[in-house]
Amino acid sequence: MSVFFREIKKDAGSEARRGELVTPHGVVETPIFMPVGTQATVKAMTPEEVRDIGGRLILSNTYHLYMRPGHGLVEEAGGLHRFMNWPGPILTDSGGFQVFSLGPLRKIEEEGVWFRSHIDGSEHYFSPERVVEIQEALGSDIAMAFDECAPYPSTHEYALRAVERTTRWARRCKEAHRREDQALFGIIQGGVFKDLREKSAKELIEIDFPGYGIGGLSVGEPKDLMYESLENTIPLIPPGKPRYLMGVGSPDCLLEGVARGVDMFDCVLPTRIARNGTVFTHDGKLVVRNAEYARDFRPLDPDCDCYTCRNYTRAYVRHLIKANEILGVRLTTIHNLYFTLRLMHNIRVAIEQDSFSSYKKEFMERFQYC
């Protein structure tokens, strides 16, 4: 069994839609946010805790798992699901973003990319075929094709070369992919250029992947350009295929992405800012480590019913963070992921009730994120 998508309900006032992503490890309701388990773990949380707060689909990182412990070891352990004790679906990215982010530590060729490890400086090589081989060994439900993510800003000429290489590599990935219980998604590139987004989408749709990532966004461009790029891209993707906006996770962007028809999101933002003592609330971002919360005995968010907010105060969480106690990071992480996953649940309910536009308006009028 592989992966397929079905649309269940379209919102009456926007492009938002409810759907189901059917995988070998369970059915996932969309729109969905995927907590990021880069190294086969969602930082500071057990798999059971992730599931208890509503996590259903986890993302892991091909580059990092290749570097350590190695995809061969994971395969020997019975695959990524068994290795990390996660019974639900897993998506693995291609590692392309990490490799291309290495800057002077990598060299791009037509056949693939040479790069040096960020851990010990050792030299490695990723080709489209190699990336597929690694992800098949990991055994994820969804694997991503190897692509070239152009940075922002990029010239039109540079972004064009990246699109053309991404298409060539996508074909090679599909030709190399053999695992029938794993879906391989293509990734649409093109930067913020409308003609290149159209070119990339058209070429990848001709290859016919079961789903499509929208890559090369949330890499430093203004949010209005990201939204414009989504509006130029999503209508080109067949409605029967899931649309995955890669690397986006702030509440405002989740709402704007859903409004434009996105089905899947992932981002390290909720867990990363949690480790820095910052949390989401319905009123916006709150830096709980700041001195003003030293005697604040309210929950992180009075309108949240997560484990942290039911049991602990801002003052206590701040004390833990300032004292470098592990529990502090666990509590902020639980809250931020719960907040994000609960937002996605409420979005799905709003779409079912044809009230998404009003829900989005009400949420954004109160939420201030910068």
Side-chain angles (χ1 to χ4, degrees):
M1 174 187 174
S2 189
V3 173
F4 66 91
F5 175 83
R6 54 182 173 232
E7 182 179 302
I8 295 174
K9 175 75 168 64
K10 186 82 180 295
D11 179 60
S14 71
E15 294 301 312
R17 63 179 188 171
R18 273 276 289 114
E20 286 184 343
L21 188 66
V22 180
T23 81
H25 287 86
V27 178
V28 177
E29 296 183 346
T30 64
I32 185 74
F33 176 82
M34 295 178 280
V36 175
T38 299
Q39 304 193 77
T41 177
V42 176
K43 293 186 187 301
M45 298 188 69
T46 67
E48 292 80 8
E49 288 171 333
V50 174
R51 190 157 186 87
D52 285 347
I53 64 172
R56 292 297 180 266
L57 175 59
I58 283 180
L59 178 142
S60 285
N61 184 276
T62 296
Y63 166 83
H64 286 284
L65 293 176
Y66 163 81
M67 296 306 306
R68 59 183 176 195
H71 58 291
L73 186 148
V74 174
E75 185 175 33
E76 183 181 342
L80 193 52
H81 295 86
R82 186 171 296 176
F83 185 60
M84 66 185 292
N85 191 34
W86 174 255
I90 298 174
L91 181 149
T92 46
D93 61 15
S94 69
F97 181 81
Q98 286 71 34
V99 169
F100 284 98
S101 296
L102 291 172
L105 296 178
R106 52 93 172 133
K107 178 183 177 183
I108 307 170
E109 299 175 345
E110 179 56 33
E111 287 303 306
V113 183
W114 289 97
F115 62 93
R116 292 193 175 276
S117 165
H118 72 288
I119 299 171
D120 59 10
S122 57
E123 191 172 57
H124 301 268
Y125 183 71
F126 271 7
S127 66
E129 294 80 9
R130 182 65 165 158
V131 165
V132 167
E133 174 192 341
I134 295 167
Q135 292 184 88
E136 288 187 333
L138 294 174
S140 54
D141 299 82
I142 301 172
M144 302 302 296
F146 196 42
D147 63 322
E148 180 176 356
C149 178
Y152 178 86
S154 292
T155 64
H156 187 277
E157 181 183 7
Y158 184 101
L160 172 60
R161 290 199 303 269
V163 164
E164 292 174 340
R165 180 176 284 118
T166 291
T167 298
R168 292 192 296 271
W169 284 1
R171 290 196 184 98
R172 289 169 56 188
C173 284
K174 185 167 184 180
E175 290 172 2
H177 190 252
R178 295 289 181 268
R179 189 161 182 159
E180 294 184 358
D181 63 347
Q182 182 186 67
L184 177 70
F185 283 17
I187 303 177
I188 299 168
Q189 290 290 348
V192 295
F193 301 103
K194 181 179 180 180
D195 62 323
L196 298 185
R197 285 283 167 184
E198 292 175 349
K199 174 181 172 63
S200 183
K202 179 182 177 181
E203 292 173 351
L204 294 180
I205 289 165
E206 287 177 354
I207 300 173
D208 190 23
F209 291 98
Y212 293 92
I214 303 169
L217 296 177
S218 191
V219 291
E221 78 282 359
K223 288 182 179 180
D224 59 341
L225 283 182
M226 178 175 73
Y227 301 149
E228 180 182 324
S229 294
L230 288 177
E231 291 165 5
N232 292 334
T233 306
I234 288 178
L236 304 173
I237 302 173
K241 304 292 180 75
R243 310 146 176 170
Y244 164 29
L245 177 56
M246 307 176 75
V248 169
S250 65
D252 54 333
C253 290
L254 294 175
L255 284 158
E256 295 292 354
V258 168
R260 289 161 174 81
V262 175
D263 304 302
M264 303 165 63
F265 303 84
D266 84 278
C267 194
V268 299
L269 181 69
T271 50
R272 178 172 289 170
I273 67 171
R275 297 193 298 277
N276 295 324
T278 300
V279 295
F280 296 136
T281 77
H282 284 83
D283 294 312
K285 185 172 65 173
L286 185 148
V287 186
V288 71
R289 68 181 302 130
N290 286 353
E292 63 187 289
Y293 302 111
R295 288 179 171 78
D296 191 333
F297 303 112
R298 294 174 294 171
L300 295 177
D301 183 350
D303 293 328
C304 177
D305 63 350
C306 76
Y307 170 80
T308 303
C309 290
R310 292 198 315 269
N311 292 284
Y312 302 100
T313 66
R314 296 176 179 181
Y316 180 65
V317 173
R318 177 184 184 272
H319 157 67
L320 295 175
I321 296 290
K322 297 295 287 185
N324 292 319
E325 287 289 344
I326 294 172
L327 180 59
V329 171
R330 280 180 41 74
L331 293 177
T332 53
T333 300
I334 288 169
H335 169 80
N336 275 356
L337 280 182
Y338 180 91
F339 184 96
T340 304
L341 294 168
R342 192 65 185 173
L343 171 62
M344 300 310 294
H345 167 81
N346 292 339
I347 286 172
R348 293 192 295 268
V349 171
I351 294 172
E352 291 170 358
Q353 297 175 349
D354 281 329
S355 61
F356 172 74
S357 294
S358 59
Y359 174 78
K360 174 176 174 284
K361 182 174 183 292
E362 180 181 337
F363 185 96
M364 293 301 295
E365 282 177 348
R366 180 176 172 186
F367 183 82
Q368 300 295 321
Y369 183 79
C370 58

